[in-house]
Amino acid sequence: QMQLEESGGGLVQAGGSLRLSCVASGRTFVSYAMGWFHQPPGKERKFVGGINSGGDVTSYASSVKGRFTIARDNNNNMVYLQMNSLTSEDTGVYYCAAGRRIGVPVLTLPSQYDSWGRGIQVTVSS
């Protein structure tokens, strides 16, 4: 498994932007698909965006499509989530995750991921 650590969260006004970062340990980062998940207060964790190991294929939840962008830097073991036009519904804890599944370039289900960060809080004030 990989060790993942998120950063970049905090408090932002509605309509604002934040960029989350996730640093991964290990030399096999380049072979993992990466994803971001969001857990609103009192609700289940849900998929936000995913990216394949090579960084050229992405997938997003419909609620964030056009507002959020996932990207990765395989040279530095980093994955990012750029979040724009934030609303109060984006409030919650965001998790970075890593996983590998043969034949599945982008992972969208929590059960497909093997490693998780501790999560980071994002609060959007209206």
Side-chain angles (χ1 to χ4, degrees):
Q1 290 190 344
M2 301 178 63
Q3 301 296 319
L4 305 172
E5 183 174 0
E6 303 93 342
S7 61
L11 176 64
V12 63
Q13 290 188 335
S17 298
L18 277 177
R19 188 177 83 152
L20 303 183
S21 300
C22 173
V23 60
S25 66
R27 293 176 291 180
T28 58
F29 175 76
V30 70
S31 67
Y32 280 81
M34 301 297 295
W36 287 94
F37 286 77
H38 169 220
Q39 187 164 18
K43 297 184 179 180
E44 292 184 352
R45 195 175 303 187
K46 59 183 181 180
F47 174 76
V48 172
I51 190 166
N52 71 329
S53 58
D56 59 343
V57 181
T58 58
S59 178
Y60 297 94
S62 57
S63 59
V64 306
K65 199 170 293 185
R67 299 190 299 124
F68 290 13
T69 303
I70 187 171
R72 66 188 295 161
D73 177 356
N74 283 344
N75 290 325
N76 292 295
N77 285 17
M78 297 290 296
V79 63
Y80 305 98
L81 184 69
Q82 177 66 43
M83 305 187 294
N84 299 328
S85 302
L86 287 161
T87 74
S88 58
E89 293 187 351
D90 297 317
T91 292
V93 179
Y94 285 76
Y95 296 89
C96 174
R100 291 188 292 193
R101 291 294 183 270
I102 296 174
V104 185
V106 180
L107 310 178
T108 61
L109 301 175
S111 60
Q112 294 174 314
Y113 287 89
D114 307 306
S115 301
W116 294 83
R118 294 183 177 181
I120 193 160
Q121 178 69 39
V122 171
T123 302
V124 183
S125 63
S126 55

